[in-house]
Amino acid sequence: GIDMLELSEPTPVNARLIELIRQPRVIDVVSEAQRSGQTLDGELDRNDGNTVLRLRAYPLATDQGAASRPPMLLILTDETRLRQLENARRDFTANVSHDLKTPLAAIKAYTETLLMGAMDDPDAKERFIQRINEQASRLDDLIRDLLQLTKIQSLPERISLSRLSLSEIVRTTIEEHQQIAAKRQVEVVNSVRGDDLKVMAEYDALRTIRGNLLSNAIRYSKPGGRVEIQTKRGNGFVDVSVIDNGIGIPETDLERIFERFYRV
């Protein structure tokens, strides 16, 4: 409590609450709970601007009669983490909604253009159909990502492992992203050596991790950039690195990049 409310130490005994706690919100909640005899709660913001505290004031039953003010039990909980998760979930939902609407809007626009007469122009027809196919593939990728997220969250503590060729997974992943890398003028270098490189892993999970890392590395690299996949063996394990010279991740975000819904 001393730490949460940033009280001075040592705390005086039998001090008045208003002298002990310099937060008007605390005084208001306690006073109203004493007056009404009802349990009340309120939210507190600390001076650092990042910590969210929840204060609950419980009037305690006594034998002193209704005329006296009841003693109070104050419970403080740090809800900063819950608030961060809620904000991240809300942002994630908004981002997903936007990401799903964008290809749908494009597909609708291209389709309407074809129906309005572009079907009669062979060159325009082929171009618009190609665009529809690209946006449908993008939509399919987004839905696959959401399904993968659901699958990961429902996995048992121990997943089923099998013997896989890491070299083959890396090669396939690079091929899947080669077109967008070329479009962004980013060179992807496969420095994984040896087709005999086998690992115990879960296929879909490993491929998703590789794909996500490579996709992000390409996406956040500037034209002329370089992305390299390397491996390093030791003590029965293989470290796989996806290295780029892009914008990087701010140091303040590094601790949170594996949180659900969180986006840098």
Side-chain angles (χ1 to χ4, degrees), residues 18-75:
I18 197 170
E19 297 169 352
L20 183 66
I21 301 176
R22 301 291 184 176
Q23 296 199 36
R25 180 61 177 155
V26 176
I27 309 301
D28 292 343
V29 170
V30 172
S31 299
E32 180 60 25
Q34 276 194 323
R35 185 192 64 78
S36 65
Q38 302 293 321
T39 298
L40 295 177
D41 67 349
E43 199 172 89
L44 306 177
D45 291 318
R46 285 210 322 193
N47 293 331
D48 59 14
N50 298 319
T51 307
V52 179
L53 302 177
R54 173 70 60 181
L55 171 71
R56 292 177 175 84
Y58 293 89
L60 302 179
T62 67
D63 298 327
Q64 298 177 4
S68 63
R69 290 182 298 176
M72 304 294 297
L73 171 64
L74 304 184
I75 296 181

Side-chain angles (χ1 to χ4, degrees), residues 48-118:
D48 59 14
N50 298 319
T51 307
V52 179
L53 302 177
R54 173 70 60 181
L55 171 71
R56 292 177 175 84
Y58 293 89
L60 302 179
T62 67
D63 298 327
Q64 298 177 4
S68 63
R69 290 182 298 176
M72 304 294 297
L73 171 64
L74 304 184
I75 296 181
L76 276 172
T77 54
D78 188 338
E79 297 191 350
T80 307
R81 174 70 172 164
L82 293 175
R83 176 65 60 83
Q84 288 175 342
L85 285 174
E86 175 59 25
N87 290 341
R89 184 200 61 78
R90 185 173 59 248
D91 292 343
F92 174 82
T93 302
N95 287 330
V96 168
S97 299
H98 177 268
D99 288 345
L100 290 174
K101 285 173 61 179
T102 300
L104 280 175
I107 290 172
K108 184 178 180 181
Y110 290 133
T111 304
E112 289 177 349
T113 303
L114 288 170
L115 293 174
M116 291 172 63

Side-chain angles (χ1 to χ4, degrees), residues 141 169-181 203 207-208 210-211 214 218:
D141 289 341
I169 290 179
V170 170
R171 184 186 62 78
T172 303
T173 305
I174 291 177
E175 288 178 354
E176 291 174 347
H177 292 80
Q178 197 63 58
Q179 184 175 358
I180 188 170
Y203 179 79
R207 186 167 177 176
T208 298
R210 294 269 63 75
L214 184 57
I218 295 171

Side-chain angles (χ1 to χ4, degrees), residues 119-225:
M119 288 286 290
D120 299 329
D121 185 335
D123 293 336
K125 178 174 66 174
E126 183 176 351
R127 186 171 67 253
F128 285 134
I129 291 176
Q130 180 64 33
R131 296 292 182 271
I132 290 174
N133 183 61
E134 291 173 357
Q135 296 299 325
S137 298
R138 180 181 175 188
L139 194 59
D140 182 63
D141 289 341
L142 288 168
I143 294 173
R144 285 176 183 270
D145 285 345
L146 292 175
L147 292 175
Q148 185 71 22
L149 177 63
T150 303
K151 179 181 178 182
I152 290 172
Q153 291 176 332
S154 62
L155 280 176
E157 291 185 4
R158 295 185 63 84
I159 61 176
S160 178
L161 304 180
S162 57
R163 189 173 175 83
L164 304 173
S165 170
L166 182 61
S167 305
E168 177 64 20
I169 290 179
V170 170
R171 184 186 62 78
T172 303
T173 305
I174 291 177
E175 288 178 354
E176 291 174 347
H177 292 80
Q178 197 63 58
Q179 184 175 358
I180 188 170
K183 185 176 181 180
R184 292 178 175 269
Q185 301 177 28
V186 174
E187 179 187 12
V188 180
V189 179
N190 183 2
S191 296
V192 179
R193 297 289 179 258
D195 294 332
D196 59 336
L197 192 57
K198 300 292 194 299
V199 294
M200 296 299 295
E202 203 276 328
Y203 179 79
D204 288 336
L206 183 59
R207 186 167 177 176
T208 298
I209 292 169
R210 294 269 63 75
N212 286 346
L213 291 175
L214 184 57
S215 174
N216 283 337
I218 295 171
R219 183 183 306 168
Y220 294 106
S221 291
K222 296 178 180 179

